[in-house]
Amino acid sequence: MRKPVETTAYVIGLVLIVSGLVHLGVFLADDVPWSGPVSWRKPATFGLSFGLTLITVAWITRPLVLGDRARAWLLGVFTADCVAEVAGITLQAWRRVPSHFNTETPFDRGVAMILAAGGAVLVATLGAYAVTALRGRIRGTADMRLAVRAGFALMLVSLASGVAMVARGTVLFRTVSPQAAYDGGGFLKPVHGVALHAVLVLPLLAAALRALGRDERERLRIVAVASVLYGVATAAALVVSVT
């Protein structure tokens, strides 16, 4: 039976996706660039990405062997953090000011600090899920266990790239200029984006193969190949990012 916290996560995830789509429409209607520190790109992409990730986490963490209290607490904190991140970025987009590395006013500094703290919470909660998955505490068939484990392993790569971007942006902000932080802080966006959604793509593949009636041995083989290919794609994105 679905827990109330899971239902809440699904609903809020859908709301965040709708928010992203609305801001994509705002971008199309407004005469502003897609790139740059102040654009509709951030509320659009963050709404879509956080909404999709929240729904994914609510679904794919059900097979993890966790206590009910730990499961509810982790998902509740993650849900609240997704809302806070998207809300802060969206607020600053409507104010037409940068959301990250912005300390122009006390209010802007406060928003930037909340977003930074939210990033730390994301790393902690998703990291806890990943450790549980990588330790093998997963219920289900062999192919789904592999898909979840590989997905969370790549999630750790995405989290590491996010931390690296924040660290580089902070250094550039303090030693060069805010514009340098905006321009150079996101250098790992390709690998971050590719690795982030492996935890959805690989389990969806396993579920689709099962729905098609494939036997477990064949599903395991296909998921294993897909996991390797996804790892190769992530490595290619890393090469593109650093060259």
Side-chain angles (χ1 to χ4, degrees), residues 183-200:
D183 294 339
F187 71 111
L188 290 177
K189 283 181 181 178
V191 64
H192 181 72
V194 170
L196 179 63
H197 296 297
V199 76
L200 171 62

Side-chain angles (χ1 to χ4, degrees), residues 168-181:
R168 181 175 182 180
T170 301
V171 170
L172 290 172
F173 179 83
R174 293 177 177 176
T175 60
V176 184
S177 68
Q179 188 60 48

Side-chain angles (χ1 to χ4, degrees), residues 19 27 43 47 55 60 66 70 85-87 95-96 115 151-152 154 190 207:
S19 174
F27 161 72
I55 292 172
I60 207 58
L66 286 167
E85 290 287 302
V86 176
R95 295 181 66 235
R96 300 299 179 100
L115 293 176
F152 272 113
L154 287 163

Side-chain angles (χ1 to χ4, degrees), residues 68 101 105 115 229:
D68 289 342
F101 311 119
T105 69
L115 293 176
L229 292 176

